[in-house]
Amino acid sequence: MIGLVITKDAYCLDGLRFAIKKAKDQQTTVLFSYVQKIDNHDPIAFYHAGRENYKGQCFFWQDPKKEIILAGTGQVTPLSSTGSYDRYIHVEKNWDKLLRQAVSSGESGVIGTGPLLFGGFSFDPEEEKKTLWNDFEDETFAIPCYMLSLIEGQSYLTINRICSPDDNEWHLYKQVENEVEELTDQRK
């Protein structure tokens, strides 16, 4: 285990509760993002643990100096566009709207944590795809369900969830707690 005791962290539960209430009040979905500083954890082990439950929905990224390392698993919600001309604007507007509605709790102000969007655009959506790229959309972006960030030697866990008006806070909280335990169990 990596020193993550999510059950004792009232900020996570309070944040979930507030996000679900906001979703109910506005009759829409709301992004919830929670960040917790944790004991150091191997991002490669985190990535591999996520591959079992989130096939095709994992990523690993690091800067050249290895001062920022990000490993993410799962996909909260995809962001994409149908048009080729305004696809950049469309994805940006959807991302901005999601962030304006979002509820965040826990650690804040740490680069490489919180709700982050990962993905990319094809170079030319009008050009016929090569076989290698057939399984990819012209633009694919996603927010990871879980992200381990190693920032200048400090580890942070970001938990992202889309909350709907019908969600039950305890059910969602327990689901997150169980999934985090699976992802961070270093005995595997």
Side-chain angles (χ1 to χ4, degrees):
M1 226 38 100
I2 61 170
L4 176 70
V5 187
I6 195 168
T7 55
K8 293 184 180 176
D9 196 338
Y11 291 115
C12 184
L13 184 57
D14 288 345
L16 266 175
R17 187 177 292 130
F18 184 73
I20 293 169
K21 181 181 180 330
K22 186 173 184 178
K24 285 178 183 175
D25 291 347
Q26 297 179 5
Q27 286 300 298
T28 188
T29 57
V30 172
L31 173 64
F32 168 69
S33 186
Y34 171 75
V35 178
Q36 182 177 17
K37 187 175 181 180
I38 59 175
D39 292 342
N40 281 344
H41 188 69
D42 179 8
I44 299 290
F46 183 86
Y47 172 85
H48 283 290
R51 287 178 59 190
E52 290 181 28
N53 292 332
Y54 298 102
K55 291 197 184 308
Q57 297 181 351
C58 299
F59 71 87
F60 182 90
W61 181 91
Q62 68 183 17
D63 71 340
K65 293 182 180 181
K66 298 183 180 179
E67 293 174 345
I68 300 174
I69 301 172
L70 307 173
T73 64
Q75 186 177 33
V76 171
T77 186
L79 293 180
S80 61
S81 173
T82 54
S84 61
Y85 173 72
D86 63 347
R87 61 191 182 139
Y88 303 102
I89 295 167
H90 184 78
V91 169
E92 182 180 23
K93 283 183 179 179
N94 285 340
W95 176 235
D96 287 343
K97 180 181 176 185
L98 201 56
L99 287 179
R100 278 194 310 273
Q101 292 287 103
V103 171
S104 296
S105 67
E107 299 276 337
S108 64
V110 180
I111 191 167
T113 65
L116 299 177
L117 190 61
F118 292 89
F121 292 98
S122 64
F123 291 110
D124 185 355
E126 303 299 323
E127 188 175 309
E128 188 175 328
K129 292 180 187 179
K130 305 282 191 268
T131 306
L132 176 65
W133 300 104
N134 279 344
D135 292 337
F136 295 90
E137 300 294 327
D138 288 327
E139 62 278 323
T140 301
F141 289 89
I143 304 162
C145 292
Y146 302 100
M147 184 174 65
L148 178 68
S149 304
L150 194 59
I151 311 297
E152 297 178 350
Q154 299 293 312
S155 292
Y156 299 87
L157 178 69
T158 299
I159 298 167
N160 295 303
R161 277 291 186 268
I162 293 292
C163 297
S164 67
D166 299 327
D167 279 338
N168 176 289
E169 65 196 54
W170 283 108
H171 174 76
L172 196 54
Y173 184 76
K174 284 297 185 185
Q175 179 185 8
V176 166
E177 184 179 49
N178 292 336
E179 290 174 1
V180 166
E181 188 173 316
E182 282 183 34
L183 285 170
T184 57
D185 186 355
Q186 293 190 43
R187 295 171 297 183
K188 290 183 178 182

